[in-house]
Amino acid sequence: MSDFSKYFLMIREDDPEGTARDVIEYTLYKTKGTGENQIDWDEATMQAVIPGQHGNLNHVCRVFDAKGHSLYIKQAGDSLRIDEDMTATLDRNRQESEILQIEEKLAPGMVPHIYFYDTVMSASGMEDCTSYSVMRDAMIRHEMFPQFAEDISEFMVNTLLLTSDVVMDHREKKELVRRFITPDLDDITEKLVLMEPYLGAERNNVFPPNAAFVEQELYGDPELHLAVSKLKFKFMNDAQALLHGDLHTGSIFIKQGGTKVFDCEFGTYAPMGYDIGNIIANMIFAYDNGLSTDDTEFCEWCLSTISQIVDLFTEKFLKKYDEVVTEPMAKVKGFKEYYFNGIMDDTAGFCGTELHRRTVGMANNIDVTTIQDEKKRLLAERLNIYAGKEFIKNQASFRTGAQYVDAVRRATRKAEETL
Ligand code: SR1
Ligand code: MG
C-alpha cells in the first residue's frame, strides 16, 4: 500500500503500470463508499489509464470499473509538463478545485463536478467527461457546435459578474481575492502573454519563415508595446472578477448540446476582459485552421460564433447587471455603461495579446502549428498578428460581434497581400 500522507508523483507517464496501481489505491482511499461524493466501486474490475495528455502543466489519469463508475484523477507535479525546468506551486490543484466548486454554484452543469481535493497529494477527483471532446481537438476536426456561443456567454456572465464588486459584499470579495492570489501562475501569464511576445525571449517559439515579420510587427512596434504595457498593469492591478484565467479551447469539454469548462488553475482576480478576449482569440485560431483547408463552412461557423459570443455576452451582461447589482454606487446613472465599456476595451486588448502569444510565444497552439503547408501557416500567423494589433491599438472600436468579424476578415486580406 502506498503512503498517501506524504506527497509523491502518483501519475507517471513513463510508468503506466505503477501509476495504475497507485491511482486505483488512491481513488479507493479517497472515494470508496456510498455517501455524497463517494463511489460504490467494483474493485475487481477497476482500471486506471493515462489518457492522451493535453495540458501543459499537470498529470491526469482516468479510473473506471465495469459497472460504469468513473473518475478523473488530476495531480500537480513539481515541474511543469511543458518544461521540466519550470515550476509552479503545488497549491495550484487546491486553487483550481476550489474555483471549480465556486463556478459549479454560479454556472450549474457547466464545469466538471469535483468529488474531492487533497492538499497533501496535490490531487483532485473530477467528474469523468470522456463522453465529451476537448474542444481544441474538435476544432481541429472542424466540428461545429451550435450551442457553444450561448453556453460560453452564459458561463462568463455568471462567473465574472457574480464574483465582482458590483454584486458581492466587498469584504467577502476581498477574501476571495486573498484566497486566489496566485503569484507563480500569474507570473507565467505576465511574462508569457504580456511581455515576451513583444520584447522577445529565448524561449519564444517563432516559426522561422515568419521571423522577419515578427521582428517588424511585434518586436519593433513601440506604439504596440505601450498599449500592451497598459494591459499588463491592468491585469496585475485590477482585481475585477474571479477569472478562469486560461479560457482557451483546450480548457473546454464539448459535445453536441453540452459544454463544460475545466482547467482553471490560472484562476485569479483580474479584468473580466482577459477571459472574454481569450475565448474570442481561440475561436480565431480555429478559423485559422479552417482556412488552411479551405473549409468555408467551418470558417463561417467560427466567425459567426465569435460574433454571437460578443453580442450574447453584451445582452446577457447588461440584463443581469440590472437584476443582481447590489453596490449602490454601481447603480448611479451612467456607471453601468462606463463599467461595461471598460470590459469591452479589455476584451479587445486581451484578445490581441492571446492572438500574439500563441503565435510567437512559448506555448503555441496546435490549430496553427499543425498546418503543414508553409504558405498557409504564414497566412494564419500573419492574420493573427495583424488582427491582434488592431484589437490592442483600437480597443474602443470593438463593441459588437460584427466589428470583430470585420477585423478578422480585414486581417486575412492584409495577410494574404504579404504572401
Ligand atoms: C508554462 S505554461 C504555458 C501555458 O499553458 C497554460 O495552458 C497557460 O496558457 C500557460 O500560459
Ligand atoms: Mg491549462
Side-chain angles (χ1 to χ4, degrees), residues 2 19 24 46 100 117-118 155 172 222 269 281 284 291 313 340:
S2 293
T19 295
I24 290 173
M46 277 176 91
L100 282 173
Y117 67 93
D118 168 358
F155 175 82
E172 285 172 18
Y269 263 86
I284 297 174
L291 269 189
F313 180 84
F340 187 69

Side-chain angles (χ1 to χ4, degrees), residues 231 345-346 348-349 390-399:
L231 286 165
D345 283 357
D346 298 344
E390 195 176 338
F391 295 144
I392 292 169
K393 288 182 173 183
N394 302 318
Q395 291 164 28
S397 313
F398 295 99
R399 293 289 182 267

Side-chain angles (χ1 to χ4, degrees), residues 60-354:
V60 290
C61 189
R62 178 171 180 257
V63 191
F64 54 97
D65 69 13
K67 293 207 171 143
H69 303 112
S70 61
L71 194 67
Y72 259 84
I73 302 291
K74 180 168 184 176
Q75 189 180 29
D78 278 316
S79 58
L80 307 190
R81 288 187 66 248
I82 192 174
D83 181 345
E84 285 200 344
D85 294 332
M86 285 178 78
T87 56
T89 174
L90 289 175
D91 189 47
R92 65 186 189 269
N93 185 270
R94 173 198 65 83
Q95 299 234 156
E96 172 178 7
S97 305
E98 289 187 357
I99 293 175
L100 282 173
Q101 288 174 332
I102 291 173
E103 289 178 342
E104 186 173 28
K105 290 201 184 99
L106 300 176
M110 293 216 59
V111 296
H113 179 67
I114 292 292
Y115 284 80
F116 69 89
Y117 67 93
D118 168 358
T119 52
V120 175
M121 288 293 286
S122 297
S124 51
M126 191 177 93
E127 177 187 346
D128 175 15
C129 294
T130 39
S131 64
Y132 292 70
S133 295
V134 172
M135 187 171 174
R136 196 177 302 285
D137 295 341
M139 294 298 93
I140 299 280
R141 296 193 294 267
H142 297 182
E143 290 175 30
M144 292 171 270
F145 298 91
Q147 89 279 0
F148 180 62
E150 194 67 64
D151 285 355
I152 202 71
S153 56
E154 190 75 21
F155 175 82
M156 292 191 295
V157 169
N158 286 331
T159 58
L160 299 175
L161 180 57
L162 299 183
T163 57
S164 74
D165 271 311
V166 296
V167 176
M168 283 190 79
D169 172 85
H170 305 325
R171 283 159 303 190
E172 285 172 18
K173 182 250 181 180
K174 285 182 179 70
E175 278 306 320
L176 291 189
V177 174
R178 193 204 314 262
R179 202 153 107 211
F180 299 118
I181 288 266
T182 56
D184 284 5
L185 283 302
D186 283 350
D187 186 61
I188 292 176
T189 302
E190 288 155 17
K191 292 193 171 100
L192 257 61
V193 183
L194 300 169
M195 183 173 76
E196 294 173 5
Y198 307 98
L199 301 188
E202 191 84 345
R203 61 184 176 181
N204 277 356
N205 277 316
V206 178
F207 183 45
N210 210 20
F213 186 87
V214 169
E215 188 75 44
Q216 178 184 311
E217 296 293 335
L218 293 182
Y219 299 164
D221 183 344
E223 191 196 327
L224 177 69
H225 293 184
L226 177 59
V228 174
S229 65
K230 292 177 188 170
L231 286 165
K232 178 170 184 168
F233 275 76
K234 197 149 209 204
F235 179 85
M236 294 191 293
N237 293 299
D238 183 357
Q240 188 176 42
L242 181 57
L243 305 194
H244 175 282
D246 198 21
L247 194 50
H248 57 78
T249 51
S251 299
I252 296 171
F253 290 127
I254 199 153
K255 65 181 180 186
Q256 293 305 331
T259 309
K260 282 187 195 279
V261 174
F262 68 109
D263 222 9
C264 50
E265 68 221 311
F266 284 82
T268 192
Y269 263 86
M272 299 185 194
Y274 190 81
D275 273 0
I276 314 162
N278 262 254
I279 200 67
I280 297 169
N282 277 271
M283 289 311 302
I284 297 174
F285 300 140
Y287 162 86
D288 290 342
N289 195 280
L291 269 189
S292 75
T293 61
D294 299 316
D295 189 340
T296 311
E297 189 191 356
F298 180 71
C299 287
E300 290 306 312
W301 175 77
C302 292
L303 295 180
S304 78
T305 299
I306 291 168
S307 182
Q308 286 173 40
I309 291 171
V310 175
D311 294 341
L312 284 170
F313 180 84
T314 303
E315 185 188 315
K316 293 179 189 182
F317 183 97
L318 295 175
K319 181 165 181 286
K320 189 138 195 138
Y321 188 101
D322 293 333
E323 292 163 5
V324 296
V325 65
T326 60
E327 159 60 56
M329 293 304 283
K331 295 180 187 170
V332 167
K333 192 170 180 309
F335 182 81
K336 176 169 91 164
E337 291 69 25
Y338 156 81
Y339 190 72
F340 187 69
N341 279 335
I343 294 169
M344 286 290 101
D345 283 357
D346 298 344
T347 297
F350 292 119
C351 175
T353 56
E354 176 73 0

